[in-house]
Amino acid sequence: MRRVLCVLSLAAWLAVPARAEEPPFAQRSETQPPPVGALSDMMISILHRHAILWMAGASNNWPLADYEARQLKARFAEAAQAYRNIPVETITAATKALDNVSAAIEQKNKPQFALRFLALTSACNACHASAGVGFVVIETPRTSPFTNQSFAPATK
Ligand code: HEC
């Protein structure tokens, strides 16, 4: 029985088309979507990605920066879908700021990336203020909080 379930879930897994932001070897199951975490846990993940995004851009690692910007956008979309009472304009502002960052990444324009990253960070803080959690203040990371990830562009 367990093997049948396993084959069935594998079949369902294979039938699901890839989503743009997911690598081809790890497609999300439509029948068993992963559980949605608490909003505050999603925000901790967003906080990490915000830091990685900055480190990637500051290190001229544009493929990583592009990847993180897409991850952030997907996490915002998930939060907006899972929590319907989030004011739509705050999500729109953050998404628009993120799109502007992505455009700078596409052009590998570091000064523009830095300016637009600041605007993104302001969008984080604007939503926190309007959501009554204005004590959660986001800023540009001064150093990487991760000592186990290299941000230098890959050599191949
Ligand atoms: C659309 C609104 C909105 C946007 C945009 C937003 N946040 Fe949040 N954030 C919240 C809310 C609401 C909470 C409080 C969640 C709770 O306590 O359940 C929160 C909480 C947090 C927390 C505290 C989590 C904890 O458990 O300590 C962090 C860190 C955080 N956000 C980071 C960010 C970062 C970084 C960005 C921007 C890249 C961002 N947020 C953008 C709404 C937003």
Side-chain angles (χ1 to χ4, degrees), residues 35-81:
V36 168
L39 184 58
S40 58
D41 292 340
M42 287 180 171
M43 285 292 156
I44 292 293
S45 154
I46 285 173
L47 177 73
H48 286 178
R49 295 201 155 90
H50 177 265
I52 296 175
L53 175 62
W54 172 256
M55 293 310 299
S59 311
N60 296 312
N61 191 339
W62 302 116
L64 178 62
D66 177 55
Y67 172 81
E68 286 310 330
R70 286 169 195 270
Q71 292 287 344
L72 264 179
K73 199 169 170 180
R75 297 295 85 73
F76 276 137
E78 274 175 12
Q81 279 163 16

Side-chain angles (χ1 to χ4, degrees), residues 38-41 43-44 46-48 50 72 76 83 86-87 90-92 94-95 120-121 123-125 127-128 130-131 133 136 138:
L39 184 58
S40 58
D41 292 340
M43 285 292 156
I44 292 293
I46 285 173
L47 177 73
H48 286 178
H50 177 265
L72 264 179
F76 276 137
Y83 291 87
I86 297 179
T90 56
I91 284 279
T92 312
T95 309
L120 169 66
T121 306
C124 305
N125 291 327
C127 188
H128 292 164
S130 73
V133 288
V136 180
I138 307 303

Side-chain angles (χ1 to χ4, degrees), residues 101-113:
V101 172
S102 286
I105 292 170
E106 207 170 299
Q107 293 165 15
K108 301 181 178 161
N109 186 330
K110 201 164 168 178
Q112 201 173 65
F113 169 82

